[in-house]
Amino acid sequence: EAGARQFKERVFAGVLANIFTAGILGLFYLNYVLFESYLGVFLYSFLVSEALWPTKKSAVEWLQTSHTISPQAWLLRVLSRVASGMRHYPLLWIIGSRLPLLRSP
């Protein structure tokens, strides 16, 4: 009788363990289904971040040195490049400035 009781307890424990394992695997599957559309984005963002790490590191080091530009000098540089572009490609700038007006309501 004691051996039969132990056998029943072991069978019950095995069945219970299998149910819990199936439940955990089910949760993993549901998480996979939930995040399936994001997996490609996560993968490519990781690959791009790893590939651009040296570039980011050098940009941060350059910004932390004394080569930084004051906001006024940066604005002057940007405006001079815009003016230079307007001089070289006036038709393109005219068309580009009118594009927002062509939106339909």
Side-chain angles (χ1 to χ4, degrees):
E1 184 169 304
R5 194 163 137 235
Q6 259 186 350
F7 179 72
K8 286 181 185 178
E9 286 177 2
R10 288 183 181 174
V11 168
F12 180 71
V15 169
L16 199 60
N18 285 334
I19 290 172
F20 282 133
T21 302
I24 290 173
L25 290 175
L27 286 176
F28 279 126
Y29 174 73
L30 291 176
N31 277 327
Y32 168 74
V33 169
L34 181 65
F35 292 109
E36 181 180 14
S37 60
Y38 299 106
L39 287 178
V41 175
F42 290 154
L43 175 68
Y44 286 120
S45 65
F46 174 75
L47 292 176
V48 168
S49 69
E50 287 297 315
L52 294 178
W53 173 255
T55 305
K56 178 195 171 210
K57 187 176 176 185
S58 65
V60 168
E61 286 175 359
W62 184 80
L63 287 172
Q64 290 175 344
T65 61
S66 62
H67 300 334
T68 56
I69 303 172
S70 69
Q72 294 85 7
W74 181 81
L75 182 61
L76 183 63
R77 184 177 292 178
V78 168
L79 290 177
S80 68
R81 287 187 182 182
V82 168
S84 171
M86 288 178 74
R87 279 194 305 266
H88 289 90
Y89 306 104
L91 183 62
L92 186 66
W93 280 91
I94 291 170
I95 293 171
S97 65
R98 301 299 185 256
L99 283 178
L101 301 175
L102 298 177
R103 285 190 308 177
S104 60

